[in-house]
Amino acid sequence: MLRPTGAGGRLPSTLSTPRAAQSYREQFHPLHGCTGPRCSAGGARPAGRQVSAAPRRRGAGLVSLRAHGSLRAGQRRGGLERAGRSERREPARGPGSGAMAAAGGSAKLVEMFYDVVSPYSWLGFEVLCRYRHNWSIELRFRPAFLGGIMKETGNQPPAMVPKRAEYMMKDIKRMAKYYQVPVQIPKDFFGSVIRKSSISAMRFITAVDMTQPQFLEPVSRELWMRIWSRDEDITQPESILAAAGEAGLPSALAQKLLAMTSTPEVKNRLKETTEEALKYGAFGMPAVVAHVNGEAHLFFGSDRLELLGNVIGEKWLGPVPAASKPRM
Amino acid sequence: MLRPTGAGGRLPSTLSTPRAAQSYREQFHPLHGCTGPRCSAGGARPAGRQVSAAPRRRGAGLVSLRAHGSLRAGQRRGGLERAGRSERREPARGPGSGAMAAAGGSAKLVEMFYDVVSPYSWLGFEVLCRYRHNWSIELRFRPAFLGGIMKETGNQPPAMVPKRAEYMMKDIKRMAKYYQVPVQIPKDFFGSVIRKSSISAMRFITAVDMTQPQFLEPVSRELWMRIWSRDEDITQPESILAAAGEAGLPSALAQKLLAMTSTPEVKNRLKETTEEALKYGAFGMPAVVAHVNGEAHLFFGSDRLELLGNVIGEKWLGPVPAASKPRM
């Protein structure tokens, strides 16, 4: 019932195999890589913590806390946007998560609450990663727990209605193709994910966010690649460690972060972030919150990014905008 | 609980009053008016029927079955797109509703299943009306019954989840502002609509579609204007007749159509159209179906029109595209 029935568009052959997905990850992601804690981390940072590693792969130097080198703009390869400059606006941040970004008074804080169990979150995540090169925004990724949001709001996964589930699978395939994100539907989605929960993965991502924020983006992406591109497990410790390794986290550090996932600090942080999403009115994911003139605007899903642009005074250029020079 | 809480964008003052909405209707709609049965009617036509009236208002001559005069392109007033030429591609239609449109082999058949109880349907309806001047499509409006679709699929209105309802009201306001459609949320949506049903209104629209298809578009719009702009009833006969009058239907004809709503022919036609939407996989509305290379592609909601464009090989230009010359 949940299997796609083929009417939707198919991913181009260049993106539809694990090897191609691997190629996508290697070639595409580093250029949109995390650029430090102001970019992607949620909540306050522990004072004085040390960042002991940086994401591996080509371009990894770009994503350290200090290095903000540049790349040639306008590069393209294989139809995927690879271009961009890694220089970024880094607006001052006021206290508290709802604080308004204010770099030259123009950059707006945009937060995205997500869970790697959500494929639409992946789509929104990649597109927002691209738009931080085009829009004057301070982008913050906020790992939260979708299960908690659904439980608190009494919402049901759309896939619980059979016709809706059938549509959703086609819709995800079409959106993924158009958004140029290598999503593949898992063979047994209910079995592999919904019955087991993403809680362990999200606690791990939270531990990363708390202590190694420069890895938040690549680790999240690698977990999405596992579940939503290669149909691999994300519930077991070895699966999570494998994703961390793919993201470039040194093995010893990944083990340490995995151990952290059972601490109250990490569990509470994930709860707090989930509660914050609920406070903004979230009932599903992704939940994108734009802060404009002291007001928080919630957008649900990855299909309101054009509207988000309108609300923050920026122009939508489609899901794969050509990179532009930062306007800082 | 269902009242908007103000965080969403507000309609500009020029669109937020009944008077402004009236102005919108008078100035805006005729230029996007229905252009005959090939444009907007669903299902097969009764052979040999006579079209005895045409929608009133300025520009009404444009929407008769024969007259396809032209207007100056590029006109704008009050921020609303008013431009366009009324000349339209009218591709030959093969037998059956799934037939591929084929004007010069390029125009694609796009069907929109809708119910006037659905505000998102109104947004999609107006934007598609605009895009038939920009895209090479044969646009067909298919009045169906949302209640039947929800019942058959076991789907629940999103507003049944309180947080979702709260979001939806803000989302509709923001979308309406961006889409430039004068939506206003009714004070007591559940009381005025959901508990009473839109069945009478949709049967009336079906009767219009069967016998006076050139009025399908304006009558539908006037019913949306009642419920979703002026917070007026659409369940009572006098309400439906008032909408018909606003659309320019002569009173005697409207009375005749109202009497038709209790006939098996009209009831069955509405059922059949609803069943057809279900057959395409609809579980809510609007349900847009694009026919491409003999395959039907379903799009749910008014937020997949960019993706629709991608699937049919047309470019999305935002919700208010500048009118372009028809490419026929």
Side-chain angles (χ1 to χ4, degrees):
Chain A
M1 185 179 68
L2 279 177
R3 298 294 302 151
T5 53
R10 288 194 181 149
L11 283 171
S13 58
T14 51
L15 282 182
S16 62
T17 64
R19 189 169 176 182
Q22 172 73 6
S23 165
Y24 168 91
R25 189 179 58 230
E26 288 185 343
Q27 296 179 13
F28 186 39
H29 298 161
L31 303 180
H32 294 130
C34 171
T35 51
R38 289 195 177 184
C39 151
S40 56
R45 299 283 161 210
R49 68 185 159 65
Q50 292 297 309
V51 173
S52 55
R56 72 174 194 187
R57 302 193 188 290
R58 187 156 50 90
L62 301 173
V63 300
S64 73
L65 287 177
R66 285 175 301 277
H68 291 286
S70 65
L71 290 165
R72 276 179 298 132
Q75 290 172 309
R76 281 182 172 267
R77 185 181 298 179
L80 294 174
E81 185 222 347
R82 303 183 57 244
R85 294 163 65 90
S86 63
E87 293 165 13
R88 294 186 55 256
R89 295 169 294 281
E90 295 211 333
R93 179 190 298 174
S97 61
M100 178 69 192
S106 65
K108 294 182 177 70
L109 175 62
V110 173
E111 302 181 86
M112 186 183 122
F113 295 86
Y114 70 97
D115 184 318
V116 293
V117 79
S118 154
Y120 288 111
S121 291
W122 190 14
L123 299 179
F125 173 92
E126 295 297 352
V127 175
L128 283 177
C129 279
R130 297 167 194 166
Y131 268 91
R132 71 181 163 211
H133 301 288
N134 291 71
W135 288 351
S136 180
I137 55 174
E138 180 195 0
L139 183 59
R140 290 175 66 195
F141 290 120
R142 310 292 310 275
F145 181 48
L146 181 57
I149 284 177
M150 301 302 269
K151 190 178 167 191
E152 281 300 314
T153 57
N155 200 6
Q156 290 280 313
M160 301 305 281
V161 174
K163 280 275 187 191
R164 200 169 185 125
E166 197 180 309
Y167 172 78
M168 207 178 85
M169 295 303 152
K170 290 179 192 172
D171 184 57
I172 289 170
K173 285 181 75 174
R174 276 191 311 219
M175 290 279 281
K177 181 182 174 189
Y178 185 51
Y179 277 37
Q180 298 189 25
V181 178
V183 177
Q184 294 285 308
I185 311 291
K187 280 197 185 68
D188 177 17
F189 179 63
F190 273 101
S192 61
V193 181
I194 292 202
R195 286 190 212 114
K196 288 184 183 171
S197 161
S198 60
I199 190 82
S200 302
M202 293 316 297
R203 281 183 183 150
F204 185 81
I205 291 174
T206 300
V208 170
D209 186 27
M210 291 171 74
T211 63
Q212 303 289 332
Q214 75 277 29
F215 283 99
L216 176 63
E217 191 175 312
V219 167
S220 301
R221 183 176 284 122
E222 290 303 334
L223 284 159
W224 267 310
M225 288 291 286
R226 287 188 69 84
I227 177 174
W228 278 107
S229 195
R230 297 197 305 264
D231 198 0
E232 294 171 351
D233 174 76
I234 61 159
T235 67
Q236 300 303 309
E238 58 272 23
S239 306
I240 292 168
L241 290 175
E246 290 287 341
L249 256 179
S251 175
L253 187 53
Q255 288 282 359
K256 192 177 150 196
L257 292 171
L258 193 64
M260 273 184 69
T261 59
S262 56
T263 64
E265 288 74 17
V266 168
K267 290 180 179 178
N268 288 339
R269 169 64 74 90
L270 183 58
K271 268 188 203 162
E272 286 160 16
T273 308
T274 305
E275 281 162 10
E276 204 174 333
L278 285 164
K279 192 189 76 187
Y280 284 127
F283 52 88
M285 282 184 179
V288 178
V289 179
H291 299 268
V292 182
N293 297 331
E295 209 173 342
H297 298 260
L298 171 70
F299 300 86
F300 170 61
S302 56
D303 48 27
R304 290 290 187 276
L305 300 178
E306 179 175 354
L307 188 62
L308 163 70
N310 179 255
V311 167
I312 65 174
E314 297 278 3
K315 189 167 169 53
W316 174 249
L317 301 164
V320 189
S324 63
K325 283 187 184 178
R327 282 158 292 176
M328 64 184 289
Chain B
M1 184 179 70
L2 280 177
R3 299 293 303 149
T5 54
R10 289 195 181 148
L11 283 171
S13 58
T14 52
L15 281 182
S16 61
T17 64
R19 190 171 174 181
Q22 172 73 4
S23 165
Y24 168 91
R25 189 180 56 229
E26 287 185 344
Q27 296 179 12
F28 187 39
H29 297 162
L31 303 180
H32 293 130
C34 171
T35 51
R38 289 196 177 181
C39 152
S40 55
R45 300 282 160 210
R49 68 185 158 65
Q50 292 298 308
V51 174
S52 55
R56 71 174 193 187
R57 300 192 188 289
R58 188 156 51 89
L62 302 172
V63 300
S64 73
L65 287 176
R66 286 173 300 276
H68 292 286
S70 66
L71 290 164
R72 276 178 298 133
Q75 290 173 310
R76 280 181 173 268
R77 185 182 297 179
L80 295 175
E81 185 223 347
R82 303 183 57 243
R85 294 161 66 90
S86 63
E87 293 164 14
R88 293 186 56 256
R89 294 169 296 280
E90 294 211 334
R93 181 190 295 173
S97 60
M100 179 69 191
S106 65
K108 294 182 177 72
L109 175 63
V110 174
E111 302 181 87
M112 187 182 121
F113 295 85
Y114 70 97
D115 185 317
V116 293
V117 80
S118 154
Y120 288 111
S121 291
W122 190 13
L123 299 179
F125 173 92
E126 294 297 352
V127 174
L128 283 177
C129 278
R130 296 166 193 166
Y131 267 91
R132 71 181 164 211
H133 300 288
N134 290 72
W135 288 351
S136 180
I137 54 174
E138 180 196 0
L139 183 58
R140 290 176 67 196
F141 290 120
R142 310 292 310 275
F145 181 49
L146 181 56
I149 284 177
M150 300 304 268
K151 190 178 169 193
E152 280 301 313
T153 57
N155 199 7
Q156 289 279 313
M160 301 305 282
V161 174
K163 281 276 187 190
R164 200 168 186 126
E166 197 180 311
Y167 172 79
M168 208 178 83
M169 296 302 152
K170 291 179 192 173
D171 184 57
I172 289 170
K173 285 181 74 173
R174 276 189 312 218
M175 291 279 281
K177 181 183 174 189
Y178 185 50
Y179 277 37
Q180 298 189 23
V181 178
V183 177
Q184 295 284 309
I185 311 291
K187 280 196 186 68
D188 176 17
F189 179 63
F190 273 102
S192 61
V193 182
I194 292 203
R195 288 190 210 113
K196 289 184 183 171
S197 161
S198 60
I199 189 82
S200 303
M202 293 315 297
R203 281 184 183 151
F204 185 81
I205 291 173
T206 300
V208 170
D209 186 26
M210 290 170 74
T211 64
Q212 303 289 332
Q214 75 277 28
F215 283 99
L216 176 63
E217 190 175 314
V219 167
S220 301
R221 183 176 283 122
E222 291 302 333
L223 284 160
W224 268 310
M225 287 292 285
R226 288 188 68 85
I227 178 173
W228 279 106
S229 195
R230 296 197 307 264
D231 198 0
E232 293 170 352
D233 174 75
I234 61 160
T235 66
Q236 300 302 309
E238 57 271 24
S239 307
I240 292 168
L241 290 174
E246 290 287 341
L249 255 181
S251 175
L253 187 53
Q255 288 281 0
K256 192 177 150 195
L257 292 171
L258 193 66
M260 274 183 68
T261 59
S262 57
T263 64
E265 287 74 17
V266 168
K267 290 180 178 177
N268 288 339
R269 169 65 74 89
L270 183 59
K271 267 187 203 161
E272 285 160 17
T273 308
T274 305
E275 280 161 11
E276 203 174 333
L278 286 164
K279 191 189 75 186
Y280 285 128
F283 52 87
M285 283 184 179
V288 178
V289 179
H291 299 268
V292 182
N293 298 331
E295 209 172 342
H297 299 261
L298 172 70
F299 300 86
F300 171 60
S302 56
D303 48 29
R304 291 289 187 277
L305 300 178
E306 180 175 354
L307 187 63
L308 163 70
N310 179 255
V311 167
I312 65 174
E314 297 279 3
K315 190 168 168 51
W316 174 248
L317 301 164
V320 189
S324 63
K325 285 187 185 178
R327 283 158 290 178
M328 64 185 287

